[in-house]
Amino acid sequence: MSAPNNSYDPVEVTSLHPDEVARMREEALAAIAGASSLEELKEVRLAHAGDRAPLALANREIGALPPAAKADAGKRVGGARRDVSEALKRRQAELEEERDARVLVEEAVDVTLPWDRVSRGARHPLTTIAERMTDIFVGMGFEVAEGPEVEAEWYNFDALNFQPDHPARTMQDTFFVEGAGGRPSGLVLRTHTSPVQVRALLTRELPVYVVAPGTTFRTDELDATHTPVFHQLEGLVVDEGVTLAHLRGAIDAFVSRMFGEGLTTRFRPSYFPFTEPSGEVDMQCFVCRGASVGNPDAPCRTCSSEGWIEIGGCGVVNPRVLTAAGVDTERYSGWAFGLGVERTLMFAHGVRDMHDMVEGDVRFTSAFGMEI
Amino acid sequence: MRVPVSWLREYVDLPTEVTARELAAKLIAAGLEVETVEEVGADISGPIVVGRVLEIEELTGFKKPIRHCRVDVGAANGSGEPQNIICGARNFSEGDLVVVSLPGAELPGGFKIGARKTYGRMSEGMICSASELNLWEDHAGIIVLPEGTAEPGTDAFELLGLREDVLDIAVTPDRGYALSLRGVAREAAALYEVDFRDPAEAEPIEENGEGYPAEIADIDACDRFVLREVSGFDSDAPTPMWMKRRLALAGMRPVSLAVDVTNYVMWELGQPLHAFDRTKLSGGIVVRRAEAGERLETLDHVVRDLDPDDIVISDASGPISLAGTMGGLDSEIDDASTELVIEAAHFSAPNVARMARRHNLHSEASRRFERGVDRELPLRASARAVELLTRLGGGRPGGLTSVDPKVPGPAPIVIAERHAARIAGVDYPEGTAARRLRQIGCEVVEEGDTLRVSPPSWRPDLTDPNDLAEEVIRYEGYENIPSIPPRAPVGRGLSPGQRLRRAVGRALAGAGFTEVLSYPFVGERDLDGLQVEADDARRDALRLANPLNDDEPFLRTTLLPGLLKTLVRNVGRGFPDVALFEMGLVYLPKEGMPAAPLPGVDRAPTAEELAELEAAIPHQPRRVAAVLAGDREPAGWWGQGRAATWADAIEAAREVGRAAGVEITVRPGRYAPWHPGRCAELYVTVDGGEVLVGHAGELHPRVTKAYGLPARTAAMEVDLDPVERAREAVRAPEVSTYPVATQDVALVVETSVPAGEVEAALREGAGELLEDVRLFDVYTGEQVGEGRKSLAYSLRFRAGDRTLTAEEATAARDAAVAVAAERVGAVLRG
Ligand SMILES: [Zn+2]
């Protein structure tokens, strides 16, 4: 398509003749307009805008012109090349648009198709809620203490001021571990996380601010509200000048972080051998906030229309426990609490039956995902 | 402890407007946990009145004798005419006063009374029995009211106490005094600051003659013993209705007047009593320990071998009663007893607790003795019983025997006046502590900043300063304790091990495994199912003395049984593609199982005692295990699924390693319950040495059969502690931006050579320039010959400071191949 450049004349170059430049330009523009696909346009670009294109070749000749003619020829060829380049750009955009409209539609897929090629896993909600409970206290500066599940009776009972024949000791429905030859081993499956209190006091520097989440055991048959294997979160503070007011502050902080701001708590006197004074902690029902009490038209399943939910036991560490753990009771005092992890999960997430937490049905656990 | 409110009000002047619910709330706030407020009789309504039987006509011709009665119900039926009522009972006569439900009444269980035709006659109501009105249990017939009780037509609700509010209190072990109306009433009186009338302070009763001879042989067993006699008692005298009603409301069954009175006084005062038939006693009574070989047949017709620790009441014939627990059959009063000896005593609380446990005899009496009974009560309670017996059953009081060894009482407790305030964190006004302690019955002497406190005899639980603080704080109101956030020192957050556990859980869940928390109880069958040998260490498991299920007496030594059973359960529920994991402890006994000592608690254990305690505690390493079956990747519109295999189980173990930042080395192994050809040993490096941390692979077909698992179920189990110990601080790698040089090699080795060893050899031989090795093909077949396989590796080389030349990369590759050739006999495939 390009004119051969075989008649080189330093004065008059054919290819730079205005008519010739105009013809090359027209030819190129026609070719561009005629390109019907991006592939064709690519060829047209090579032919009319590439290094060997007529206008490109013509451009090289400009140097041979006398200085007076250079500017004029340069302007002409440059203008033509610019027009071609712009036409190419426009056509490229047009063709891409055409392609997008056609090809990308043809390539469309059904994005609602499932792609569950790797099955979903989940952590057990008792694990994740215990972590959440723990983290609330870690956020207050507590550390996490631990102890064995098969525990010495001394830690589980004696050091916690359970007298050998006191009803409190037998009320705990303890699993006893058989010793060698069927003799007593002095070991039990810990009935609560409280032995960790004694371990923490014996091994840590004072002051002690710890929580101890863990598995605990009592000889209850599994039913909707009982399980022989369950979980507690123990809390222990031993420091100078601590009071029940601080205990209440810690519990209130837990309740507001776990169940929502503005919920009130209630302390009731109770009895545990290892705390004196002792108390039970109730929190205001986070569902009805007490509105269901005496209101049969709006009963509350969460709190059985009592307005309060029992969440755990607590109290001032019995100085006898501190003594058994070698703490100077003249200088230090402490408080402790125990919260039920199962109960917390039941309340916070509406679990109705203990079986669901125990059986390991993947449908139950999957619903809770990785974090709670 | 069931407390009928009207009974309680007899001893405490509660304001009349106080409802049972308000009273319950008040008691709860003070530490008496009222579990329920039962509105007994709330399901009874309508006209129920006193009637007089005017005429009885016996109807015949029916299967049982039937009576047609004309009953005067006064004006209660509106007409004043006698009411016609059909009745099947026969324990009444013309002229008797009875209780009549008129049409419109509703009895317990939604039983509506109407006029209806029956046995050919109209019956316009019902003559009621005590059971039908839920008054007390009585199958002897209808109620016949004593003559003069009331006029016909009188409303029976008030008369019989048909409606009553009953508090059910769960009494904590320290508050034994609350196991009596007397104790609850005293508490209520103090809480409302109103008057309390002590039912124990009755009129003195007459004494006639010498008391029955008795002595205490062991004052550690019993430090107070009282006998009172009643002679000429009318054994046919009925228990009055008010007493039957109260006993029934309290949850006891009326038996006979003598028995009912002892129960009534126990409920009223908290003092367990025992009644002997004097004619069945021989010789003086001695309270002593049982002797070895002695036996006693108790009231429940069980012959019991006595323990030298048991406290017995004995006479010349031997033991006649288990103290505070249960009486003996031979000396017990019966339907014809007229000569009674009432025993009231104070027995050692821990001793009664041991007896009750040893003989599995948990009675209302033992429940009270275990929690502590008022030592000053036996004299008064026995007087109260004799007063009731003689008033209701005739006869006259006999002699009194009072054995009082005069044991010294506890020393007063000295506390700081501010003690309760300091514990509560509340600035109680001065004088509060003394006032509150006096309110609960303590004697308080104020000495400057301290109080010298002597608790009352009914509060044996008050022994320590903090016990007194609790009394002050609960009366000042637990609800008035302010809320002040604790100020903990700066914490260190979670320990590395605690963080690792969370990371492992998240990693496995992220890899598609669902967490399980199974019970740690296993049985012989579970271990048999795993095909572990008889001498396998996993058979050496801790055994529970009192398992829930006799088939599962052991504590797990591996996490797999629980996981496998859970897997089967999920498959059974229609989920064939399951991947589960569990993290938890296993329990491994120590050699010889030394028994754990019980050091004293009046001081910290010594280092030796602590070491002894720790030596007795079994090893309890934390493990993580996973099981999977069915498809690891399900089939779908994209095509075929991919079945879970041994490799997924090993990968799960590697996932654990990755979460810890620890390389898990895999070697072929053989270990139950795995398939011997598809079992991997898993190692980590701790302090330069390799440690076996677990196994992974496909389960043995016999295991899948024993557990009922899907074929080719795979599993892994890893010890987390060494994985944690294997962690090392990561040093940041230097990331080179020079180009990579890739070299592929195919190596032929014997089939038995593990790929892991080939790779290890290549890595070692390739030297520092090696960036990565990747096995991209495994080929077996004719081209490499029988018993051999070809492993194709892609080696990536890169230097940190220059672009590698082809020669350098080739030299490194050749060096790698050379080591593989030397180590595992690898031959470069042509
Ligand atoms: Zn509610």
Side-chain angles (χ1 to χ4, degrees):
Chain A
M1 288 214 260
S2 60
N5 188 20
N6 46 11
S7 57
Y8 184 72
D9 180 334
V11 179
E12 171 108 344
V13 179
T14 319
S15 60
L16 293 175
H17 188 275
D19 292 350
E20 187 59 15
V21 171
R23 190 190 57 77
M24 288 189 284
R25 176 180 170 277
E26 287 313 313
E27 236 174 57
L29 292 181
I32 289 166
S36 62
S37 71
L38 285 164
E39 289 71 30
E40 273 179 45
L41 188 66
K42 198 173 166 189
E43 274 171 32
V44 171
R45 176 180 284 113
L46 259 180
H48 294 281
D51 289 349
R52 310 289 305 162
L55 279 170
L57 295 176
N59 195 48
R60 284 192 208 153
E61 306 294 340
I62 293 172
L65 292 180
K70 264 185 187 166
D72 187 43
K75 204 171 165 188
R76 245 179 296 127
V77 175
R81 293 184 78 193
R82 216 166 19 251
D83 290 349
V84 170
S85 161
E86 263 158 33
L88 271 170
K89 227 183 265 171
R90 272 197 307 276
R91 188 61 185 147
Q92 176 81 19
E94 279 169 24
L95 287 171
E96 277 179 6
E97 217 162 282
E98 259 180 59
R99 180 207 59 190
D100 287 0
R102 180 172 43 80
V103 178
L104 293 191
V105 164
E106 281 168 9
E107 283 179 5
V109 295
D110 178 0
V111 295
T112 68
L113 284 171
W115 194 252
D116 49 349
R117 297 186 67 163
V118 177
S119 56
R120 271 183 335 126
R123 295 202 296 155
H124 199 284
L126 284 174
T127 305
T128 46
I129 203 150
E131 287 178 3
R132 233 186 100 192
M133 294 166 74
T134 301
D135 289 347
I136 291 171
F137 290 99
V138 170
M140 292 184 224
F142 285 58
E143 294 182 6
V144 180
E146 292 173 318
E149 291 171 9
V150 174
E151 181 59 286
E153 277 188 60
W154 187 82
Y155 282 108
N156 195 74
F157 290 128
D158 299 68
L160 291 169
N161 189 39
F162 283 80
Q163 314 280 334
D165 297 300
H166 196 272
R169 189 149 174 164
T170 44
M171 272 166 61
Q172 295 252 334
D173 306 321
T174 311
F175 282 110
F176 291 92
V177 174
E178 219 170 75
R183 286 190 296 277
S185 63
L187 300 173
V188 296
L189 288 182
R190 66 175 176 195
T191 55
H192 46 186
T193 41
S194 308
V196 182
Q197 289 187 25
V198 182
R199 289 180 171 274
L201 291 174
L202 283 170
T203 53
R204 288 170 180 255
E205 297 284 318
L206 293 169
V208 162
Y209 285 76
V210 292
V211 284
T215 311
T216 48
F217 308 82
R218 292 192 195 174
T219 57
D220 290 320
E221 295 281 352
L222 173 65
D223 64 23
T225 53
H226 297 86
T227 163
V229 182
F230 57 103
H231 301 81
Q232 289 185 337
L233 181 86
E234 190 84 9
L236 171 71
V237 165
V238 174
D239 199 349
E240 291 176 83
V242 298
T243 69
L244 281 171
H246 297 119
L247 166 60
R248 184 160 203 171
I251 300 275
D252 283 357
F254 167 75
V255 166
S256 63
R257 301 296 179 278
M258 192 78 209
F259 293 99
E261 297 291 333
L263 290 166
T264 53
T265 57
R266 177 174 86 167
F267 275 28
R268 286 179 286 121
S270 187
Y271 172 76
F272 306 104
F274 43 99
T275 50
E276 185 72 34
S278 303
E280 301 272 359
V281 191
D282 298 338
M283 69 169 194
Q284 195 181 32
C285 174
F286 62 96
V287 175
C288 69
R289 297 206 173 215
S292 66
V293 180
N295 184 2
D297 298 335
C300 178
R301 283 182 73 178
T302 303
C303 65
S304 311
S305 301
E306 298 279 338
W308 295 99
I309 296 170
E310 189 180 318
I311 58 168
C314 63
V316 170
V317 179
N318 195 316
R320 288 170 186 251
V321 175
L322 297 180
T323 301
V327 175
D328 175 4
T329 56
E330 292 294 311
R331 186 169 162 202
Y332 290 99
S333 61
W335 45 260
F337 61 81
L339 304 170
V341 178
E342 276 78 1
R343 276 182 82 75
T344 305
L345 180 64
M346 284 178 126
F347 288 129
H349 294 272
V351 181
R352 296 245 165 258
D353 195 319
M354 202 65 85
H355 287 90
D356 292 332
M357 293 189 241
V358 167
E359 287 181 345
D361 192 308
V362 291
R363 288 167 295 176
F364 174 77
T365 306
S366 298
F368 293 94
M370 298 288 267
E371 292 289 344
I372 217 163
Chain B
M1 173 73 196
R2 289 173 59 87
V3 177
V5 173
S6 70
W7 191 356
L8 188 74
R9 280 178 178 274
E10 216 168 85
Y11 314 126
V12 51
D13 291 331
L14 292 178
T16 40
E17 68 274 12
V18 170
T19 65
R21 294 206 165 272
E22 286 163 4
L23 174 61
K26 195 99 169 172
L27 291 173
I28 288 171
L32 294 187
E33 197 185 336
V34 180
E35 289 195 312
T36 56
V37 179
E38 194 185 335
E39 293 170 343
V40 175
D43 51 353
I44 304 178
S45 62
I48 301 175
V49 300
V50 174
R52 187 180 296 283
V53 181
L54 301 176
E55 255 182 77
I56 297 175
E57 181 191 346
E58 302 284 351
L59 304 183
T60 51
F62 300 104
K63 277 183 187 154
K64 55 177 185 172
I66 294 295
R67 289 173 158 186
H68 177 259
C69 309
R70 287 173 60 74
V71 185
D72 174 13
V73 294
N77 58 0
S79 67
E81 290 296 307
Q83 201 79 359
N84 295 304
I85 301 174
I86 295 291
C87 184
R90 309 195 57 75
N91 66 322
F92 61 99
S93 327
E94 288 177 358
D96 278 352
L97 282 179
V98 295
V99 182
V100 177
S101 308
L102 293 171
E106 187 168 340
L107 302 191
F111 179 33
K112 290 190 171 66
I113 304 298
R116 64 196 177 97
K117 197 161 185 186
T118 178
Y119 296 102
R121 302 288 182 94
M122 275 308 286
S123 182
E124 302 158 340
M126 187 170 89
I127 305 177
C128 301
S129 71
S131 297
E132 281 157 347
L133 294 173
N134 253 359
L135 281 169
W136 57 84
E137 227 180 289
D138 186 350
H139 302 289
I142 54 122
I143 303 169
V144 177
L145 299 170
E147 191 50 45
T149 305
E151 289 303 305
T154 307
D155 181 69
F157 279 87
E158 186 78 8
L159 185 72
L160 298 174
L162 282 180
R163 291 220 182 103
E164 175 71 58
D165 293 324
V166 180
L167 311 181
D168 196 350
I169 304 175
V171 176
T172 52
D174 59 328
R175 301 199 181 277
Y177 68 92
L179 288 171
S180 66
L181 267 295
R182 180 195 191 213
V184 178
R186 194 195 308 274
E187 194 87 34
L191 289 169
Y192 283 93
E193 309 204 33
V194 295
D195 283 342
F196 165 67
R197 273 181 306 284
D198 189 347
E201 277 171 15
E203 291 293 305
I205 57 161
E206 53 176 307
E207 289 161 33
N208 297 297
E210 292 286 299
Y212 196 90
E215 61 178 279
I216 295 172
D218 185 343
I219 62 162
D220 293 332
C222 173
D223 59 11
R224 192 81 176 86
F225 193 76
V226 171
L227 297 175
R228 280 185 198 266
E229 291 179 75
V230 173
S231 60
F233 178 74
D234 175 5
S235 58
D236 289 332
T239 303
M241 279 194 292
W242 61 266
M243 185 179 282
K244 282 190 189 173
R245 178 59 173 157
R246 282 186 171 176
L247 289 174
L249 289 170
M252 283 175 292
R253 200 167 53 85
V255 180
S256 67
L257 178 57
V259 173
D260 292 348
V261 165
T262 57
N263 283 335
Y264 185 84
V265 173
M266 175 173 69
W267 222 258
E268 184 182 60
L269 303 181
Q271 171 69 53
L273 300 172
H274 187 71
F276 297 102
D277 184 327
R278 190 163 56 86
T279 64
K280 298 179 185 175
L281 299 178
S282 55
I285 281 179
V286 181
V287 186
R288 59 169 171 84
R289 304 277 177 176
E291 283 159 23
E294 281 188 320
R295 310 176 94 190
L296 175 67
E297 183 171 6
T298 43
L299 286 177
D300 52 359
H301 298 272
V302 176
V303 178
R304 297 174 188 275
D305 290 316
L306 302 182
D307 187 280
D309 181 54
D310 288 340
I311 309 170
V312 294
I313 316 301
S314 65
D315 67 2
S317 70
I320 53 172
S321 174
L322 268 178
T325 313
M326 191 178 266
L329 194 60
D330 292 343
S331 58
E332 185 63 13
I333 50 166
D334 59 37
D335 295 347
S337 297
T338 61
E339 308 305 302
L340 313 179
V341 179
I342 306 299
E343 168 213 301
H346 186 253
F347 298 114
S348 148
N351 216 140
V352 172
R354 286 198 296 276
M355 288 164 68
R357 212 161 58 236
R358 184 156 51 234
H359 297 290
N360 199 20
L361 277 174
H362 298 278
S363 60
E364 290 291 349
S366 69
R367 200 149 79 93
R368 283 168 177 76
F369 280 122
E370 280 179 49
R371 285 163 174 77
V373 169
D374 183 350
R375 186 183 173 277
E376 302 309 318
L377 205 47
L379 206 56
R380 297 156 146 198
S382 56
R384 172 76 170 137
V386 169
E387 185 269 318
L388 284 168
L389 287 168
T390 51
R391 176 152 57 86
L392 304 171
R396 62 179 199 133
L400 163 70
T401 310
S402 173
V403 188
D404 186 353
K406 301 272 184 250
V407 289
I413 307 162
V414 178
I415 58 169
E417 205 274 334
R418 309 293 306 149
H419 187 59
R422 275 202 292 267
I423 283 179
V426 181
D427 195 15
Y428 298 133
E430 210 176 311
T432 303
R435 181 170 64 89
R436 290 303 189 184
L437 290 170
R438 286 188 182 116
Q439 249 174 345
I440 61 159
C442 293
E443 269 177 41
V444 182
V445 179
E446 289 165 86
E447 295 173 346
D449 290 345
T450 61
L451 305 178
R452 181 176 290 273
V453 184
S454 303
S457 59
W458 58 86
R459 292 298 303 271
D461 58 302
L462 301 179
T463 57
D464 291 10
N466 278 27
D467 299 335
L468 302 178
E470 178 175 272
E471 296 303 301
V472 174
I473 297 167
R474 77 187 176 100
Y475 271 93
E476 284 296 306
Y478 269 38
E479 69 273 18
N480 296 323
I481 294 167
S483 177
I484 300 172
R487 285 183 307 272
V490 178
R492 284 167 291 194
L494 299 181
S495 71
Q498 289 157 355
R499 278 186 282 127
L500 170 63
R501 273 175 246 158
R502 293 187 180 190
V504 166
R506 282 196 205 100
L508 287 174
F513 291 83
T514 301
E515 188 179 16
V516 160
L517 296 174
S518 54
Y519 289 171
F521 311 123
V522 296
E524 202 89 50
R525 258 186 55 191
D526 297 312
L527 293 166
D528 292 346
L530 293 181
Q531 311 295 318
V532 298
E533 300 289 339
D535 59 353
D536 190 291
R538 284 166 290 179
R539 297 240 184 222
D540 183 17
L542 291 166
R543 178 192 273 271
L544 293 174
N546 54 336
L548 273 188
N549 179 349
D550 287 337
D551 294 339
E552 295 180 332
F554 300 112
L555 293 179
R556 67 187 176 198
T557 53
T558 156
L559 298 179
L560 292 177
L563 273 171
L564 295 175
K565 286 191 262 188
T566 309
L567 190 147
V568 169
R569 183 177 303 131
N570 276 288
V571 172
R573 290 181 182 179
F575 296 89
D577 308 323
V578 203
L580 305 173
F581 80 98
E582 175 159 15
M583 212 178 324
L585 304 188
V586 295
Y587 314 90
L588 311 177
K590 284 183 179 158
E591 184 117 18
M593 280 205 64
L598 287 178
V601 291
D602 52 346
R603 48 161 181 98
T606 62
E608 291 75 37
E609 286 168 335
L610 277 177
E612 243 186 287
L613 277 167
E614 286 321 298
I617 301 219
H619 295 297
Q620 296 168 65
R622 191 174 300 272
R623 297 254 179 97
V624 59
V627 297
L628 69 171
D631 278 347
R632 179 81 167 110
E633 291 172 21
W637 61 269
W638 53 80
Q640 292 277 301
R642 186 177 71 72
T645 68
W646 54 271
D648 293 300
I650 297 171
E651 189 58 16
R654 285 204 169 99
E655 199 73 62
V656 171
R658 278 194 283 272
V662 169
E663 184 72 32
I664 301 244
T665 305
V666 176
R667 300 231 172 80
R670 298 186 119 196
Y671 191 63
W674 283 275
H675 182 311
R678 298 184 170 191
C679 172
E681 287 176 349
L682 309 169
Y683 293 86
V684 297
T685 303
V686 181
D687 301 330
E690 277 203 337
V691 179
L692 178 67
V693 293
H695 295 83
E698 184 179 314
L699 292 179
H700 196 291
R702 273 194 254 142
V703 175
T704 54
K705 183 158 178 258
Y707 275 88
L709 296 163
R712 307 222 175 267
T713 297
M716 71 90 173
E717 182 167 23
V718 167
D719 252 318
L720 266 183
D721 304 343
V723 171
E724 189 197 334
R725 288 203 306 278
R727 301 176 90 176
E728 281 174 10
V730 175
R731 281 198 61 82
E734 282 174 30
V735 176
S736 165
T737 52
Y738 288 94
V740 67
T742 306
Q743 297 259 345
D744 290 352
V745 291
L747 298 173
V748 176
V749 291
E750 302 283 327
T751 311
S752 61
V753 173
E757 285 183 26
V758 181
E759 184 182 316
L762 287 172
R763 279 185 186 278
E764 195 184 314
E768 287 196 340
L769 294 178
L770 185 73
E771 186 175 81
D772 194 20
V773 179
R774 189 170 168 76
L775 175 70
F776 65 88
D777 193 28
V778 179
Y779 172 80
T780 52
E782 279 177 25
Q783 292 180 37
V784 293
E786 183 104 347
R788 295 157 78 76
K789 63 184 172 189
S790 164
L791 305 172
Y793 289 93
S794 179
L795 308 176
R796 289 162 60 88
F797 296 102
R798 203 191 306 252
D801 54 353
R802 64 190 189 281
T803 301
L804 287 180
T805 62
E807 290 73 28
E808 282 177 302
T810 304
R813 181 201 68 182
D814 291 347
V817 171
V819 173
E822 183 200 321
R823 215 35 99 61
V824 295
V827 176
L828 203 56
R829 192 172 163 200

